[in-house]
Amino acid sequence: MTERPAIYVYRYFFAGEEAGEGRLEVRPLEAGVKATLTAEVNLPLPKTRQRWQTETDAEGFSQYFAERVEGRESRVFTVERLEEEGVVLVTQGKESLAFPFVAPYHDPLSLLLALPGLALEPGDVARFSMPGGRVYVERLADLHISPAGLTGEEGRVRRHYRLRPGLTLVQLEEGLPVRIAQQVGDHVFEGVLEGVEEVKRRRRWV
């Protein structure tokens, strides 16, 4: 997913109805990855525009994370790893707090990018630190997706993961998150991969 720059386009659904679109742009860095997810979410109301950005180290852990949500009101949340100072700086609005940097951690976007590289067998559970807590990743039994006319294991195989807390289910196919589902109240919010676009090279002006 990170060998070359690409944009992954997702269609969102809430309670079975179309709920917007998301575009995940991933760019490899010299050491690590930079990824930006921009989402237009129409349901449930109110309509919001959301943007997440992560920059990771060579092992895939978070160095910088930013979340911006624009709706009835806007809010910005950032988490930055300052290893030379030995702290993690968390900023929300005009308030900032510094916490001791104890061990590498994930943010929600870096964790999604890290899933394809996890050496987990069905039934295995891994625990990762996150700002303000921890997350558990459980690999579930593989899913077999059968095209029309095929049955059983003749179709495609998807790796299946469950993330807690929050009960998020992620399906990977050939290393790509092709379906992400999360329980929201009494309904399910899901993102389904619709296509992959190449990132155009930025023009250099001499």
Side-chain angles (χ1 to χ4, degrees), residues 83-104:
E83 289 193 56
E84 291 187 2
E85 290 84 352
V87 300
V88 176
L89 185 65
V90 179
T91 302
Q92 187 164 7
K94 297 181 179 179
E95 297 183 1
S96 295
L97 293 173
F99 298 92
F101 173 59
V102 179

Side-chain angles (χ1 to χ4, degrees), residues 55-114:
E55 293 184 19
T56 75
D57 60 19
E59 285 73 41
F61 291 103
S62 180
Q63 287 189 312
Y64 175 81
F65 173 72
E67 176 188 64
R68 183 181 184 89
V69 179
E70 298 176 356
R72 289 176 179 170
E73 57 185 39
S74 297
R75 67 177 187 270
V76 179
F77 172 78
T78 64
V79 183
E80 187 173 7
R81 194 170 100 196
L82 305 174
E83 289 193 56
E84 291 187 2
E85 290 84 352
V87 300
V88 176
L89 185 65
V90 179
T91 302
Q92 187 164 7
K94 297 181 179 179
E95 297 183 1
S96 295
L97 293 173
F99 298 92
F101 173 59
V102 179
Y105 58 86
H106 276 298
D107 60 60
L109 202 49
S110 73
L111 180 61
L112 181 65
L113 298 177

Side-chain angles (χ1 to χ4, degrees), residues 202-206:
R202 293 188 174 93
R203 180 178 298 179
R204 290 187 176 182
W205 298 94
V206 179

Side-chain angles (χ1 to χ4, degrees), residues 180-196:
I180 304 167
Q182 186 174 42
Q183 189 76 28
V184 179
D186 295 329
H187 301 289
V188 174
F189 183 90
E190 60 181 329
V192 179
L193 182 65
E194 198 170 64
V196 182

Side-chain angles (χ1 to χ4, degrees), residues 161-170 180-183:
Y161 297 87
R162 176 164 52 205
L163 280 56
R164 294 181 180 273
L167 187 53
T168 299
L169 299 175
V170 181
I180 304 167
Q182 186 174 42
Q183 189 76 28

Side-chain angles (χ1 to χ4, degrees), residues 22 24 27 33 56 66 95 117 138 143 157 168 176-177 182 185 191 200:
L24 173 62
R27 290 181 177 271
V33 171
T56 75
E95 297 183 1
E138 178 184 2
L143 300 174
V157 177
T168 299
L176 297 180
Q182 186 174 42
K200 295 180 180 179

